[in-house]
């Protein structure tokens, strides 16, 4: 049975902080939400070799020699996985280094995997890796996905749909309430950047579709605040100059907590103009919804539009369509009553569906199911028998 002494080790490339990616932040939120119910820890390749404490959660790095197409080269990881004494291993994908390490280790520890996204950009590498990926997914007891669309849109997961369980990402909703300090800062930001603010938050990566956002801003009256750093920043700044956007676009680096919250509360519309299936959920738009902001996102067939429901919490437009993106942004900037209603709906849904407490509870049920399924006594039972309280393969 799952309890406070159950040891669960999470495995991924990096940890938050110092990395600020969506998966790293999700893992950080999850392991801290699980504290007290189980004993969570994190095993990574990035960072300095050794163990450090993150507010009661041990984080161990085995180190790496470098990275090949984003995957750490970490020869010591399989041996470390083999020596783990945990009750459950929780892998976060895609991370070929960790998945191969589990296969090579010979570990019999029950494992679950959160399938965050498919390997999209490195198509050739994905083909070479496919046999190992199938072997890994065949070995784990359960596969966690954030939305039903993660299963249906994937070329991999339909073959393993009976193992899949839907657990939407959750956030600490209390952290997104506007304190008096944040409210003052938000008013100041509206005076500085307002009155029609479009906000993007995230790493500046190729699949975020920010080039389409800049081209959309050239067509509407408003100002885009782009909060984040990344490999595409120089290209985006150059495009902004080429389009002669001037002060219609503001690039901001990583902000401290109160400044970040004030920026969310100051904006009128949140934009997630992603152009690729690499965008599977968009935690940043969930954070905006927690602040009562409507979102404009793109229809990628992934979990992005599961979070942002068209006409209910925001608007959904075709990807890579500058005209449609501009029209949707302008509609919400111009119709404040509509924006306020969609924002109120978004906040209500965030509290109903996307709390970290709900995410932790559902994850614990899956750990219990994995332990039950891997026990010798369960082998004579139906492989998909559910633990009481488990809501099924496509429950939310």
């Amino acid at each position: 049975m799952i309890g406070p002494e159950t040891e669960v080790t999470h495995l991924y490339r990096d940890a938050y902080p110092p990395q600020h990616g969506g998966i790293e932040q999700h893992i950080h939120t999850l392991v801290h939400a699980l504290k007290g119910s189980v004993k969570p820890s994190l095993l990574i390749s990035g960072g300095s070799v050794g163990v450090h404490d993150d507010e009661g959660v041990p984080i161990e790095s085995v180190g790496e020699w470098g990275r090949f197409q984003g995957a750490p080269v970490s020869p010591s990881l399989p041996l470390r996985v083999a020596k783990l004494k945990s009750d459950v291993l929780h892998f976060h994908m895609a991370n070929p280094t960790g998945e191969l390490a589990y296969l090579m280790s010979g570990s019999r520890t029950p494992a679950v995997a959160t399938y965050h996204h498919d390997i999209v950009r490195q198509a050739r590498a994905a083909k070479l890796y496919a046999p190992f990926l199938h072997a890994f997914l065949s070995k784990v007891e359960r596969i966690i996905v954030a939305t039903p669309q993660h299963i249906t849109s994937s070329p991999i997961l339909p073959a393993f749909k009976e193992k899949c369980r839907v657990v939407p990402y959750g956030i600490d909703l209390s952290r997104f309430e506007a304190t008096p300090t944040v409210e003052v800062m938000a008013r100041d930001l509206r005076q500085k950047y307002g009155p029609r603010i479009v906000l993007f938050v995230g790493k500046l990566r190729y699949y975020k579709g920010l080039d389409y956002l800049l081209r959309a801003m050239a067509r509407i009256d408003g100002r885009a605040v782009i909060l984040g750093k990344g490999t595409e920043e120089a290209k985006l700044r150059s495009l902004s100059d080429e389009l002669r956007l001037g002060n219609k676009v503001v690039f901001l680096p990583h902000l401290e907590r109160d400044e970040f919250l004030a920026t969310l509360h100051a904006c009128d519309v949140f934009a997630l103009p992603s152009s690729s299936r690499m965008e599977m959920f968009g935690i940043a738009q969930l954070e905006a919804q927690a602040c009562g902001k409507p979102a404009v996102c793109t229809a990628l067939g992934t979990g992005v539009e599961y979070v942002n429901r068209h006409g209910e919490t925001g608007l959904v437009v075709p990807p890579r369509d500058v005209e449609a993106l501009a029209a949707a942004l302008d509609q919400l900037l111009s119709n404040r009553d509509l924006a306020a209603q969609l924002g109120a709906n978004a906040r209500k849904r965030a509290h109903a569906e996307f709390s970290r407490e709900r995410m932790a509870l559902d994850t614990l049920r899956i750990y219990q199911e994995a332990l039950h399924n891997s026990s010798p006594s369960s082998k004579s039972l139906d492989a998909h028998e559910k633990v009481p309280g488990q809501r099924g393969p496509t429950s939310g």
Side-chain angles (χ1 to χ4, degrees):
M1 293 292 292
I2 292 291
E5 298 305 312
T6 304
E7 297 186 11
V8 179
T9 298
H10 294 251
L11 297 95
Y12 191 55
R13 298 190 296 260
D14 300 298
Y16 167 87
Q19 297 300 320
H20 291 270
I23 295 177
E24 290 89 350
Q25 293 188 53
H26 161 72
I27 296 170
H28 181 269
T29 299
L30 178 59
V31 296
H32 284 277
L34 291 169
K35 282 191 309 184
S37 299
V38 294
K39 293 174 66 175
S41 62
L42 179 58
L43 179 62
I44 62 174
S45 303
S48 301
V49 176
V51 181
H52 74 274
D53 178 82
D54 176 24
E55 299 179 1
V57 176
I59 299 178
E60 177 183 355
S61 173
V62 297
E64 61 187 55
W65 291 0
R67 301 209 170 181
F68 175 72
Q69 294 193 333
V73 179
S74 185
S76 63
L77 187 59
L79 181 60
R80 184 67 190 96
V81 172
K83 291 183 177 180
L84 287 172
K85 302 299 183 183
S86 305
D87 299 291
V88 177
L89 302 181
H90 188 154
F91 291 84
H92 293 266
M93 305 172 67
N95 179 26
T97 305
E99 295 140 28
L100 284 171
Y102 185 54
L103 293 174
M104 295 170 64
S105 71
S107 173
R108 295 186 177 182
T109 302
V112 302
T114 296
Y115 198 100
H116 294 282
H117 61 79
D118 297 307
I119 298 175
V120 176
R121 197 174 192 184
Q122 300 91 350
R124 182 175 298 179
K127 289 182 179 178
L128 294 173
Y129 182 62
F132 302 100
L133 176 59
H134 279 265
F136 174 79
L137 293 176
S138 295
K139 186 175 180 181
V140 300
E141 300 295 341
R142 293 293 180 263
I143 302 166
I144 299 173
V145 293
T147 73
Q149 286 81 355
H150 279 64
I151 304 170
T152 57
S153 69
S154 171
I156 304 296
L157 290 182
F160 300 95
K161 63 182 179 181
E162 295 300 329
K163 287 187 175 186
C164 291
R165 300 291 182 267
V166 174
V167 180
Y169 297 142
I171 60 175
D172 183 354
L173 293 162
S174 66
R175 299 185 67 191
F176 293 89
E177 298 294 334
T179 64
T181 299
V182 167
E183 289 178 345
V184 170
M185 295 172 69
R187 285 197 296 269
D188 290 343
L189 287 172
R190 287 197 62 79
Q191 290 182 352
K192 184 177 182 179
Y193 298 131
R196 293 159 61 93
I197 303 174
V198 177
L199 176 65
F200 167 87
V201 177
K203 286 193 173 182
L204 309 188
R205 292 172 168 165
Y206 78 96
Y207 64 86
K208 292 294 185 178
L210 289 168
D211 50 338
Y212 300 99
L213 176 60
L214 294 185
R215 296 183 190 280
M217 292 305 300
R219 300 175 178 226
I220 63 177
D221 177 20
R223 179 173 289 179
V225 176
I226 297 176
L227 174 54
K229 305 288 285 185
T231 55
E232 298 293 301
E233 183 175 352
K235 291 181 181 179
L236 293 169
R237 287 181 178 273
S238 178
L239 178 59
S240 180
D241 292 340
E242 179 185 326
L243 295 172
R244 298 181 180 180
L245 293 176
N247 63 6
K248 289 187 71 174
V249 177
V250 178
F251 291 90
L252 297 178
H254 172 71
L255 300 178
E256 296 302 321
R257 185 68 194 174
D258 280 355
E259 294 176 294
F260 168 64
L261 280 179
T263 306
L264 279 173
H265 282 279
C267 78
D268 296 285
V269 183
F270 185 86
L272 189 67
S274 305
S275 57
S276 163
R277 286 186 57 256
M278 278 292 291
E279 190 73 80
M280 291 295 293
F281 189 89
I283 289 179
Q285 73 173 346
L286 177 56
E287 295 173 340
Q289 290 178 342
C291 297
K293 302 298 176 178
V296 173
C297 72
T298 48
L300 301 171
T302 65
V304 171
E305 55 263 47
Y306 174 88
V307 178
N308 182 33
R309 291 178 172 171
H310 182 70
E312 179 182 340
T313 63
L315 300 176
V316 181
V317 300
R320 301 175 294 280
D321 188 330
V322 173
E323 185 176 345
L325 178 61
L329 292 172
D330 188 60
Q331 181 181 2
L332 294 182
L333 290 172
S334 302
N335 190 333
R336 295 195 175 276
D337 289 341
L338 175 62
Q341 183 58 59
L342 296 180
N345 294 344
R347 187 178 187 278
K348 182 178 179 180
R349 185 157 186 262
H351 280 260
E353 301 289 338
F354 301 114
S355 71
R356 68 171 187 172
E357 291 79 13
R358 176 171 178 172
M359 174 178 67
L361 180 60
D362 287 348
T363 302
L364 289 170
R365 287 171 173 157
I366 292 170
Y367 292 162
Q368 180 61 52
E369 187 176 354
L371 286 172
H372 170 82
N373 195 62
S374 66
S375 66
S377 61
S378 71
K379 299 305 181 183
S380 61
L381 301 176
D382 177 17
H384 309 300
E385 180 180 358
K386 294 188 292 183
V387 170
Q390 175 64 34
R391 286 180 278 183
T394 56
S395 64

